[in-house]
Amino acid sequence: MRKKITYLFLSLLGTLANAQGPAVTSWLQNTTATGTYYPNGNSTPQGNSILVNCQAVQYSASNVYISTKGIPAYPTGPFQDGNPNQAGNQNAIFKFPLTPVQNTGTPTATSLGNIAVFINGVAGFDPKDGVSWKSSTNAWAGGPTGGTGDGVWQRDAIVYEKLGFDCSKGHPAGTNYHHHQNPSAFKYDLNVISTVCNPYDANGLYTINTSQHSPLIGFAYDGYPIYGAYAYKNADGTGGITRMKSGYQLRNITTRNTINGVSVTAGPPVNSTYPLGSCIQDYEWVAHTGQDDYLDEHNGRFCKTPEYPNGTYCYFATVDANLNSAYPYLIGPTYYGVYANRKVTSITETTTIYTSNLAVSEAEFKNISTVLYPNPVSDLLLVQVDHLLKYDLDIEMYDMSGKLLMKTQMIKGSTIAYFDTQTLYNGNYMVKISNGKNTISKKVVVKH
């Protein structure tokens, strides 16, 4: 009897450990901080009074439930394409399986709209923008342009909606703020293709660090995790850190009249107005046998990661060598696993509430790469972390006598905070960065 009880106890411990795996513990939780946004033409952030990140995480033996308003900790907007909407309260519940499974039948195509949820509760969208070519009028139709296109040659949202993306590469559909791509600031790409960050905070979910394994940034609607663009070169966790490369490339075509070798309704002409890359059907997947750092047709691979040391299938938010987003950006054009609509209206099974209690040692805390710039500073001092922040940071500025002058906070799921130093005298100051338990101090020089 004692042996049976011991086996039962160990079994329960195993179940609990599985339940509190990355699908439960990775979500950024918050019940106090509220969001901000930039109205068009205004570089001063405004409050929206909506809680950021995720408000609750609950799990059962089979599923995890995420309650979120869908608002990030980084500011949203401005949307410079005339979009009249702002990010709004989604008041959503998402249900993900703790043990996702491969789809062994016909792969499910990613559909227009939500295909994933980032760990801050913000939606991930597929690559399309709802507009396709209408052959009878030789023009785009659908989506914000009105009407209905043929649905054959579909526009790439990353190309055609770039003007409407904010600094963090996101925008709202209605009030549903979302990212079609890697949620990091345009300003820190090696080739900066949008100037929207110039008068605004260059913020995002995380900052790409090419020397570190990218963080787990979300989960797809089949339940498998999504990582940033950098990982171990080899699927077995060896080979050093390298960029995960999309297996997709532009097709060598001069006319748009075939897809996968089949004749279809003609699309826009291939020219300077509609160059290759305008449509997602302009791409083809090519196998790179023996090269683990090239991804499969779903934009993922089976591999070992820091969160999954025994290995799992995972997707990657692909970028090119300049850190610009690379098709298919997150997932697609089909899922690897079994798809389900993850948005639910209620929780109908017994669950356990998970409360994040991330313990960070002093050594780990001091290894956080925090940059103060410019230094010397004249008018605005930025404090930036170069990875994904999983806990709140208190940031304080002192004069050299130890007098507290200013304080602010960097909320988990954001990458920068700042101090207005215009009113400070020239001289030396100290910036203290703390997570409530550990503190690091850095010197900054104010010079007007």
Side-chain angles (χ1 to χ4, degrees):
M1 178 62 71
R2 180 175 297 175
K3 184 177 290 187
K4 289 183 178 179
I5 292 174
T6 301
Y7 287 158
L8 177 60
F9 178 69
L10 291 175
S11 176
L12 289 173
L13 284 179
T15 300
L16 182 61
N18 177 65
Q20 291 194 355
V24 174
T25 61
S26 299
W27 304 94
L28 302 180
Q29 295 192 55
N30 163 70
T31 58
T32 57
T34 56
T36 58
Y37 70 99
Y38 290 107
N40 281 320
N42 189 339
S43 59
T44 301
Q46 309 293 311
N48 60 20
S49 301
I50 307 173
L51 291 171
V52 303
N53 296 332
C54 305
Q55 283 63 65
V57 177
Q58 304 174 61
Y59 63 91
S60 67
S62 303
N63 304 296
V64 59
Y65 296 86
I66 314 304
S67 299
T68 177
K69 311 296 184 187
I71 299 294
Y74 41 91
T76 60
F79 312 112
Q80 299 177 330
D81 60 349
N83 189 338
N85 300 304
Q86 295 293 341
N89 185 352
Q90 302 306 299
N91 197 27
I93 302 173
F94 294 98
K95 173 185 176 182
F96 288 93
L98 293 178
T99 308
V101 294
Q102 179 185 4
N103 180 1
T104 57
T106 302
T108 303
T110 55
S111 58
L112 193 67
N114 284 43
I115 62 171
V117 179
F118 291 101
I119 62 170
N120 58 355
V122 170
F125 268 34
D126 80 316
K128 303 182 288 292
D129 71 351
V131 177
S132 63
W133 189 254
K134 191 175 183 66
S135 58
S136 62
T137 60
N138 287 320
W140 297 117
T145 64
T148 303
D150 297 332
V152 177
W153 296 92
Q154 298 165 301
R155 283 201 325 194
D156 188 319
I158 306 305
V159 175
Y160 280 89
E161 297 184 336
K162 183 177 70 174
L163 182 62
F165 294 138
D166 60 18
C167 183
S168 308
K169 303 176 184 171
H171 66 167
T175 60
N176 186 11
Y177 182 80
H178 60 275
H179 298 280
H180 295 265
Q181 57 192 315
N182 192 64
S184 60
F186 277 115
K187 187 174 183 178
Y188 300 118
D189 293 350
L190 299 181
N191 175 38
V192 179
I193 62 173
S194 171
T195 59
V196 66
C197 293
N198 289 355
Y200 304 98
D201 291 346
N203 213 331
L205 177 60
Y206 81 112
T207 304
I208 296 176
N209 186 325
T210 60
S211 63
Q212 296 181 15
H213 194 293
S214 290
L216 192 165
I217 60 174
F219 289 86
Y221 266 28
D222 60 4
Y224 286 102
I226 306 169
Y227 281 82
Y230 282 76
Y232 303 124
K233 178 179 176 63
N234 302 319
D236 63 2
T238 64
I241 301 298
T242 192
R243 178 172 56 89
M244 293 293 99
K245 303 169 185 65
S246 169
Y248 284 86
Q249 64 185 30
L250 289 173
R251 298 164 61 194
N252 183 21
I253 55 175
T254 56
T255 57
R256 292 184 172 98
N257 55 17
T258 63
I259 298 176
N260 296 326
V262 178
S263 296
V264 297
T265 302
V270 178
N271 56 28
S272 58
T273 304
Y274 309 106
L276 289 176
S278 298
C279 304
I280 65 171
Q281 289 76 22
D282 291 344
Y283 291 92
E284 62 182 353
W285 182 77
V286 177
H288 293 77
T289 305
Q291 300 182 65
D292 282 4
D293 52 338
Y294 278 88
L295 302 175
D296 65 18
E297 60 269 38
H298 311 290
N299 213 39
R301 68 174 186 176
F302 190 93
C303 58
K304 293 182 178 181
T305 72
E307 289 79 11
Y308 295 91
N310 294 324
T312 184
Y313 184 87
C314 47
Y315 300 100
F316 292 88
T318 39
V319 299
D320 63 17
N322 290 316
L323 306 188
N324 301 140
S325 300
Y327 181 85
Y329 313 116
L330 295 175
I331 305 160
T334 56
Y335 295 97
Y336 170 83
V338 176
Y339 161 86
N341 180 5
R342 297 300 168 186
K343 191 171 184 180
V344 298
T345 57
S346 62
I347 300 173
T348 59
E349 61 179 323
T350 301
T351 59
T352 299
I353 296 174
Y354 172 74
T355 302
S356 178
N357 185 24
L358 184 65
V360 180
S361 70
E362 184 176 0
E364 288 176 303
F365 181 77
K366 289 184 176 180
N367 283 333
I368 297 170
S369 181
T370 307
V371 179
L372 275 60
Y373 69 97
N375 192 7
V377 61
S378 174
D379 52 3
L380 191 67
L381 176 69
L382 296 180
V383 183
Q384 181 188 28
V385 294
D386 70 351
H387 211 45
L388 190 151
L389 188 62
K390 296 184 179 180
Y391 43 83
D392 299 337
L393 291 179
D394 295 315
I395 307 173
E396 301 171 328
M397 177 175 278
Y398 293 83
D399 65 18
M400 298 310 289
S401 71
K403 180 182 178 181
L404 176 63
L405 302 177
M406 293 178 278
K407 62 181 180 180
T408 186
Q409 191 174 53
M410 192 184 302
I411 305 298
K412 63 177 76 73
S414 62
T415 59
I416 63 171
Y418 60 88
F419 289 116
D420 185 343
T421 58
Q422 295 180 84
T423 60
L424 298 181
Y425 294 111
N426 288 350
N428 297 329
Y429 297 83
M430 294 298 297
V431 173
K432 292 186 177 180
I433 303 168
S434 171
N435 69 342
K437 180 180 178 182
N438 305 301
T439 301
I440 56 175
S441 298
K442 296 196 173 187
K443 181 180 176 181
V444 64
V445 178
V446 173
K447 186 177 181 180
H448 298 298

